[in-house]
Amino acid sequence: MKLSKKILAAFSAAAMLVLAGSFVACADDEESAFSGKKVDFDNSYVTTTTATDGTVTVKNAKSTDTNAVENNSYYYRAFKKLATKHYGSTCVITLTPQDDGKAYSSTNAANGVAGFVFNLTKNTTDTSAYDFDIAAIQYDGSKIRTYVSKYVNAALKDNNFTTAKNFTQSDGTTTSTEDKILKGSSSAYFDFTASDFTKDPATGAITVVVKVTANDDGGYSIDYYNSLENAQAGTGSKKTATVTAAKTGYTQKTQTEMAMYANIYPGQHMVSEFAFKDTVGNDLPFEDEVVEY
């Protein structure tokens, strides 16, 4: 992948300094799940190469590529960080399920997870790792699920194939710490009711609006809406979650970085889109700008 940045001409020199702290993609990454603010990534096939030291390199592939094998093991995670620090934003996430005849498992045909990452900071102990909160959406064509989690000491790359079902620490061997803020009574996910959101009858796509608000005490409120209009009016929230100030460690409203996140399951093709509206805080330009690699 070419390591380049598309920086808006309107950014001041101060804004460019903010951009300099962005994720650095690995030099051997040849693809990114994100194209701007859209993900259209088929994780059905991969190629693997094992080095003499036992390190396995995994790359996305087409079925016709040399040595391509069906992917039944490797999750693909990708981040795309927004350009500047803010208090919060309203993220419109649209998921369009893809039925390629390769179900992830017998009980779960979801293509993956699309997430709004907020309160993103460098880990204070290991600055190669990150701490962050995430509101994640999963959709299998029939039901919508979510979780809100706080992760500590997570290793993030622009592209990341792994067999692990969760984030790993920067050493690559240990699972990062997760604090589940919102989940179901008997599951890692909270399930919405079928009537909470409306499916597009033509495409099967579903839109979930996630509004993250930084509170004056240093905590965050996360609300889920079925339309941008309802989110902007602050009415009709389908669910509210709270990250308390005790969990963030802040004593007042604090601007931090935000990002988009995609986790494409093994053997799945994921299509998702993100749009950020009504972003709060920071006098630097912001609408839908993202950092491109």
Side-chain angles (χ1 to χ4, degrees):
M1 184 191 328
K2 294 181 180 179
L3 301 182
S4 61
K5 295 187 177 182
K6 299 177 183 176
I7 303 177
L8 298 181
F11 275 9
S12 64
M16 294 173 69
L17 288 174
V18 175
L19 287 170
S22 304
F23 295 139
V24 177
C26 292
D28 60 355
D29 288 335
E30 294 182 350
E31 71 287 312
S32 173
F34 280 97
S35 175
K37 298 171 290 297
K38 183 175 182 178
V39 171
D40 187 343
F41 191 90
D42 192 341
N43 198 24
S44 297
Y45 290 87
V46 295
T47 59
T48 60
T49 304
T50 303
T52 55
D53 63 357
T55 301
V56 178
T57 299
V58 183
K59 294 186 180 297
N60 183 245
K62 298 178 181 178
S63 61
T64 54
D65 289 346
T66 302
N67 298 324
V69 296
E70 288 194 10
N71 177 22
N72 55 18
S73 302
Y74 295 100
Y75 298 82
Y76 180 99
R77 292 181 175 87
F79 287 79
K80 187 65 70 174
K81 193 168 72 171
L82 304 177
T84 52
K85 294 181 180 181
H86 289 86
Y87 291 121
S89 186
T90 300
C91 183
V92 182
I93 299 175
T94 301
L95 289 167
T96 304
Q98 306 295 304
D99 184 5
D100 297 333
K102 296 182 285 294
Y104 167 59
S105 74
S106 60
T107 58
N108 183 355
N111 302 136
V113 166
F116 176 8
V117 174
F118 59 99
N119 190 24
L120 174 65
T121 61
K122 287 282 188 74
N123 182 269
T124 55
T125 302
D126 184 348
T127 55
S128 69
Y130 290 83
D131 304 338
F132 58 90
D133 298 84
I134 182 171
I137 305 295
Q138 184 195 77
Y139 177 49
D140 66 3
S142 61
K143 66 177 178 295
I144 301 173
R145 317 173 82 191
T146 188
Y147 66 82
V148 177
S149 287
K150 173 177 288 295
Y151 288 94
V152 175
N153 192 17
L156 305 183
K157 296 193 299 180
D158 183 43
N159 302 321
N160 186 14
F161 280 103
T162 176
T163 57
K165 291 187 176 182
N166 214 324
F167 296 101
T168 55
Q169 289 187 16
S170 54
D171 62 10
T173 60
T174 310
T175 302
S176 63
T177 302
E178 178 186 11
D179 184 0
K180 192 74 78 172
I181 307 298
L182 173 62
K183 63 179 182 177
S185 58
S186 59
S187 169
Y189 288 88
F190 170 83
D191 291 348
F192 290 100
T193 64
S195 60
D196 282 341
F197 301 92
T198 303
K199 179 168 61 175
D200 185 313
T203 65
I206 202 86
T207 296
V208 179
V209 182
V210 183
K211 184 175 183 178
V212 172
T213 304
N215 299 324
D216 290 338
D217 66 354
Y220 288 91
S221 295
I222 303 95
D223 283 279
Y224 297 82
Y225 297 91
N226 60 9
S227 73
L228 179 60
E229 292 75 16
N230 284 342
Q232 290 174 329
T235 59
S237 173
K238 302 301 180 181
K239 184 66 179 178
T240 300
T242 301
V243 181
T244 65
K247 291 185 179 297
T248 65
Y250 304 140
T251 58
Q252 61 184 1
K253 184 187 295 187
T254 303
Q255 292 191 143
T256 54
E257 294 177 319
M258 302 184 296
M260 298 170 285
Y261 165 70
N263 176 9
I264 299 94
Y265 294 156
Q268 288 296 310
H269 179 187
M270 184 177 181
V271 175
S272 59
E273 294 184 65
F274 299 76
F276 290 84
K277 306 294 183 182
D278 304 321
T279 302
V280 179
N282 205 309
D283 57 1
L284 296 174
F286 182 97
E287 177 56 28
D288 268 354
E289 308 100 323
V290 296
V291 176
E292 296 283 3
Y293 300 97

